[in-house]
Amino acid sequence: MCRHLAYVGPEEPIGRLVVEPPHGLYRQSWAPRNQRYGTVNADGFGVGWYAAGDPVPARYRRAGPIWADLSFADLARVVRTTALLAAVRDATLAGADAEAAAAPFAAGRWLFSHNGAVTGWPGSLAGLARALPPEDLLSLAAGTDSALVWALVLARLRGGDGDAQALADTVLEVAAAAPGSRLNLLLTDGETITATAWGDTLWYRAEPGRRAVVASEPYDDDPLWREVPDRTLVVASRTDVLLTPLKDLTEDLAPRTLEEPRR
């Protein structure tokens, strides 16, 4: 049910992160190695990236498979960025909302993706949806569970919550309303990557002081990759990676677990 990836670090061509790796997101669209749900991610794709001096990211999204888009191959070869979020989609409901349903979703400086599915959708989240401002519901990017989860996260961000608090509270709230949901969320503002592992695979690769990647699965066999335990919040930057068990969260969401990658 989708694969996604976020990166912060030195400037790189998009293709070096998404297309060129031997098991990169491009290949994961038809041959993922660690995907637990679904087998082919051909129901759309998207990449969001940040240009120098502009905090608002650009996006390129399509409803079809990434391997069929020759324009993307050209774009990925020449466009360089210090931060991106990319995803390939295996739709819960095939064809739903086409390109509008393809991650990343965006608002202001943020990019967002959801790997997973909400059980009992849409009825299971009706109560949470009623708590959103009517204008948020009327302006949903798509009629999908991922778009509503993004609206819930965004409402918290706009209300003043930090990225980690917004993701963690949304996951716990949605999981309580729809038990059994898979809620691997990925959020970046171009400087920090925040993610949750809840029901599906998540990995990270870090070079402290230089770069960090958080992804559904490793894009190569580098030994720096580390698997994130289920029900964990990840906050990654160029400096370090912080892991916090979601089940142990208190009202103060200061990350307590620092896991330094081994060299």
Side-chain angles (χ1 to χ4, degrees):
M1 196 55 65
C2 308
R3 303 276 85 182
H4 57 197
L5 169 148
Y7 165 84
V8 292
E11 189 177 70
E12 296 277 11
I14 290 173
R16 191 168 295 164
L17 299 162
V18 176
V19 179
E20 294 178 15
H23 300 285
L25 204 63
Y26 187 86
R27 185 175 180 84
Q28 289 170 33
S29 62
W30 75 85
R33 294 192 292 176
N34 295 345
Q35 190 161 330
R36 296 173 181 170
Y37 305 92
T39 56
V40 177
N41 301 289
D43 296 318
F45 74 95
V47 179
W49 69 94
Y50 296 80
D54 190 341
V56 178
R59 288 186 298 167
Y60 184 92
R61 299 185 298 163
R62 290 293 182 265
I66 191 172
W67 68 77
D69 191 318
L70 300 181
S71 295
F72 175 72
D74 263 356
L75 178 151
R77 180 175 55 83
V78 300
V79 175
R80 304 175 68 88
T81 185
T82 58
L84 65 75
L85 193 157
V88 291
R89 182 172 183 246
D90 178 13
T92 305
L93 299 174
D97 295 293
E99 184 177 306
F105 299 104
R109 68 182 188 273
W110 292 293
L111 293 169
F112 171 86
S113 177
H114 168 212
N115 168 31
V118 174
T119 57
W121 167 263
S124 58
L125 296 193
L128 299 185
R130 283 193 289 270
L132 289 170
E135 57 269 28
D136 289 4
L137 289 175
L138 292 171
S139 60
L140 281 180
T144 64
D145 54 354
S146 297
L148 182 59
V149 171
W150 168 227
L152 295 170
V153 171
L154 186 57
R156 286 189 161 91
L157 293 170
R158 288 172 170 166
D161 283 357
D163 294 9
Q165 190 79 55
L167 280 200
D169 284 354
T170 299
V171 165
L172 296 174
E173 185 177 56
V174 171
S181 296
R182 301 190 303 277
L183 301 165
N184 279 35
L185 309 185
L186 191 56
L187 179 73
T188 186
D189 60 2
E191 296 294 331
T192 300
I193 301 166
T194 308
T196 56
W198 189 284
D200 212 325
T201 60
L202 191 69
W203 295 70
Y204 72 90
R205 180 186 185 280
E207 298 174 40
R210 182 169 171 77
R211 71 178 73 209
V213 182
V214 179
S216 297
E217 59 183 77
Y219 55 56
D220 59 23
D221 294 321
D222 192 304
L224 285 177
W225 286 103
R226 294 287 178 265
E227 187 167 12
V228 178
D230 195 36
R231 302 202 172 192
T232 297
L233 176 76
V234 181
V235 180
S237 67
R238 295 169 180 84
T239 305
D240 53 26
V241 177
L242 301 169
L243 305 180
T244 304
L246 280 165
K247 62 184 179 181
D248 293 338
L249 292 177
T250 64
E251 292 181 4
D252 175 15
L253 195 74
R256 297 167 188 74
T257 304
L258 171 62
E259 183 171 324
E260 292 286 354
R262 302 188 195 103
R263 291 188 171 275

